[in-house]
Amino acid sequence: MEGASALLDLAGPYGAVGRPRRVNTYGWMPNECVLYTASTGNPSAVTRPFRADARAGHGTGRAYGDPDRARLLAVAEALERYAGLVAPERGVILASAAELGGDALDLDLIARCSPRELRRPGCPVHAIDRTRPIRWTTATDLRTGRPVLVPAVLVFLTFPELDAENFWIPISTGCAVHRTVEAAAVNALCELIERDALALTWLLRRPLPRLAEDRLPEPARSIVAWCADHGIASFLYDATTDVGVPVVYCLQTAEHAPRTGQLVGAACGFDGASLAEHALMEAMGLRLGMESRPAPPRRYADHRVVDDGAAVMAARARRDAFGFLLGDLPAPHRPGDLPASRPPGGDPGSDRARLEFLLRRLAELDMTVLLVDLTTRELRDSGHVAVRVIVPELQPMSARPLVQYRAHPRLRTAAERLGLPPLPERRLNPYPQPMA
């Protein structure tokens, strides 16, 4: 990443994030796979007056044979969290959607839980109420260039949870740090598209075509071989959606590991040759944490940690839930019967061209693309920007089992565009999302 030195200067004892730390993956990953983590620490001092007990944010960087890149990616991801944690003291207004009218985002576009979800004991959210005041901040509509007020709970990670704002669980998906707005927006959009693909695959039990192993690049083949030697089977799928940007879905299974029998990873982007490698490393990176973490709460209502649901689904006893990917399907929909493929290529080239492609494609799908500038003073001084991108029509990937936004129209429209029968809510996947 260009400007790496300036970005790394923000990490250290007196920086915006702590010094990145290499994770000991000996025996868990091939020697060529490098994993770093970085943390914001507790940013309470710079989040007042909004929240004095702000939680820490963490970043993870993974790379094959490139420790410097892994370290940089960990710092960049931690800085994304930092930028989302530092809510502004100005530019936020308190009003109801009814009062703001056309100046605000249409709240009907936001993903929502179904009445059935909302009635479940322990559901932590409620329905949107347009008559109650909530906090709003300004975004830019990237299709029209006009300013749009958006609920601040969609933007900031530590925003105070007024009861009226409690229709959404804050998540970092869609945040990005880079040298330019175009590059950051592309990265943020690819993450949103990846998480949309993960949610659609799981909730719709979407059968996916396998990737042809003989067409995988060497790093991915090497990782698959190492895993096989250690009793881990790797299944790579083409999870590209109607958006048309390549998405690779990875499922790893292990017979000898009762706590990590199934792990999931994914990657989305224009560099199709590297996506399988990235998806594999994301799945493998979960193994050490899953093996060492406490058992997840038994009740879904008690899930709080982002990987609680993934830990539930990682248990070997949950293998049957992955049958739609592993071949437990009636003919002719078995994944093994589908043509082996790779996600479509066609990289537009520059960050500007990639962004123009994404905006054009999302416009064709009648989707809204909103951008909020989260750049902090430290990032601006280092020559970087931080953004939050919001595409409300995409399906969110939620780690909370009781909040899967099952009333979102995306579940129906995507099924139709992908050639799948639309499913009534009672037939959507009831299990927690296995991706952390």
Side-chain angles (χ1 to χ4, degrees):
M1 182 189 293
E2 187 180 351
S5 177
L7 202 65
L8 290 172
D9 286 344
L10 299 180
Y14 306 104
V17 302
R19 185 177 290 111
R21 180 180 64 87
R22 185 165 180 170
V23 178
N24 181 5
T25 58
Y26 180 77
W28 296 93
M29 302 175 77
N31 292 336
E32 296 85 356
C33 294
V34 184
L35 183 65
Y36 271 85
T37 63
S39 172
T40 63
N42 189 330
S44 297
V46 290
T47 58
R48 296 188 184 97
F50 289 93
R51 176 177 273 175
D53 60 343
R55 59 186 175 84
H58 304 279
T60 302
R62 309 171 186 86
Y64 185 86
D66 192 344
D68 290 340
R69 177 166 178 78
R71 182 167 53 248
L72 178 64
L73 291 174
V75 171
E77 187 170 280
L79 286 168
E80 292 171 11
R81 309 294 192 266
Y82 175 75
L85 289 165
V86 182
E89 297 184 22
R90 298 179 181 177
V92 175
I93 66 172
L94 181 65
S96 69
E99 292 171 323
L100 296 175
D103 292 333
L105 173 68
D106 181 358
L107 297 186
D108 284 340
L109 299 179
I110 297 173
R112 65 192 60 208
C113 288
S114 68
R116 183 180 180 184
E117 285 181 283
L118 296 173
R119 288 194 300 266
R120 291 190 67 176
C123 179
V125 300
H126 55 59
I128 294 174
D129 186 342
R130 294 171 181 77
T131 66
R132 299 178 67 189
I134 61 173
R135 290 170 172 81
W136 303 78
T137 192
T138 303
T140 300
D141 186 323
L142 292 185
R143 286 172 56 183
T144 66
R146 76 180 186 92
V148 179
L149 289 169
V150 296
V153 71
L154 301 183
V155 178
F156 304 112
L157 298 177
T158 58
F159 225 73
E161 295 183 2
L162 299 178
D163 182 64
E165 295 173 336
N166 203 29
F167 55 83
W168 184 264
I169 295 179
I171 191 169
S172 64
T173 303
C175 293
V177 167
H178 219 289
R179 293 280 290 178
T180 67
V181 171
E182 291 85 359
V186 168
N187 285 1
L189 280 166
C190 285
E191 184 177 41
L192 287 165
I193 293 165
E194 172 200 305
R195 298 309 169 99
D196 171 75
L198 281 161
L200 295 176
T201 295
W202 191 250
L203 288 171
L204 297 175
R205 292 190 179 98
R206 180 189 173 197
L208 300 175
R210 290 277 300 276
L211 299 187
E213 290 189 17
D214 61 350
R215 299 180 66 183
L216 295 176
E218 174 54 32
R221 291 202 303 270
S222 176
I223 294 172
V224 169
W226 184 95
C227 289
D229 289 342
H230 290 75
I232 301 168
S234 302
F235 303 90
L236 292 162
Y237 304 90
D238 178 354
T240 306
T241 68
D242 52 337
V243 179
V245 181
V247 180
V248 170
Y249 189 106
C250 173
L251 169 62
Q252 290 195 320
T253 63
E255 303 305 320
H256 64 282
R259 298 192 66 183
T260 54
Q262 302 81 224
L263 295 175
V264 167
C268 172
F270 292 96
D271 182 11
S274 68
L275 294 183
E277 167 194 332
H278 293 164
L280 282 160
M281 290 192 63
E282 186 161 290
M284 295 178 69
L286 294 175
R287 192 170 301 278
L288 178 58
M290 290 294 178
E291 289 285 2
S292 60
R293 59 154 286 158
R298 295 178 62 87
R299 297 194 321 146
Y300 291 163
D302 296 327
H303 281 213
R304 296 291 184 273
V305 181
V306 69
D307 62 355
D308 277 343
V312 169
M313 299 312 299
R316 174 63 181 83
R318 296 282 187 166
R319 177 68 54 81
D320 289 350
F322 296 83
F324 71 98
L325 290 170
L326 295 171
D328 185 18
L329 294 167
H333 300 296
R334 295 172 62 92
D337 296 333
L338 296 171
S341 67
R342 286 194 301 174
D347 187 348
S350 68
D351 291 318
R352 182 177 293 276
R354 290 173 175 177
L355 181 58
E356 289 174 352
F357 167 82
L358 288 167
L359 293 178
R360 182 169 61 253
R361 184 68 194 119
L362 292 168
E364 291 169 355
L365 296 172
D366 199 25
M367 293 186 179
T368 309
V369 184
L370 303 169
L371 181 143
V372 181
D373 183 1
L374 297 179
T375 308
T376 64
R377 183 180 60 188
E378 301 97 329
L379 282 166
R380 185 174 294 108
D381 290 346
S382 74
H384 292 79
V385 298
V387 304
R388 156 79 79 173
V389 175
I390 301 167
V391 183
E393 292 89 351
L394 290 175
Q395 184 70 26
M397 191 211 82
S398 173
R400 300 288 284 271
L402 298 184
V403 183
Q404 293 298 303
Y405 306 107
R406 295 170 185 262
H408 197 19
R410 174 68 172 160
L411 292 172
R412 173 182 52 80
T413 59
E416 293 171 351
R417 291 172 181 149
L418 295 170
L420 301 171
L423 297 179
E425 183 182 355
R426 68 179 182 278
R427 292 185 59 198
L428 294 175
N429 199 330
Y431 292 109
Q433 168 61 239
M435 178 68 185

